[in-house]
Amino acid sequence: MILMSYDGSVDAQAAIDRAAKLMPGAEATVLTVWEPYADMLARTGSMGFGMVGGYTASDKVDAATGEAALATATEGAQ
């Protein structure tokens, strides 16, 4: 099995293309890393961003960046 890290960059696409040529038909897993915004804020010590009545602006950011990460991973898998 091949594990390919994919971030949507030209270099990542070239790596996937090269692996496909070197090992045609091999099983592969595409990995795209995504960190929830609230976790990033907690890690960097920037908590308190956008809290409004129990709903945070980070919820919208998480939804948008999560969808973008899924699209990137899907692109890499294709």
Side-chain angles (χ1 to χ4, degrees):
M1 179 196 284
I2 303 167
L3 175 62
M4 300 293 300
S5 178
Y6 186 77
D7 63 3
S9 68
V10 172
D11 288 340
Q13 183 61 53
I16 285 180
D17 292 344
R18 184 68 174 154
K21 289 177 184 170
L22 289 173
M23 297 166 268
E27 184 177 333
T29 297
V30 175
L31 171 69
T32 298
V33 177
W34 168 78
E35 179 178 27
Y37 191 64
D39 290 352
M40 186 273 302
L41 290 175
R43 184 174 46 77
T44 61
S46 301
M47 288 307 294
F49 174 80
M51 183 67 83
V52 178
Y55 178 79
T56 64
S58 68
D59 294 334
K60 287 185 178 182
V61 172
D62 282 348
T65 58
E67 289 173 16
L70 180 58
T72 298
T74 301
E75 175 186 289
Q78 291 174 348

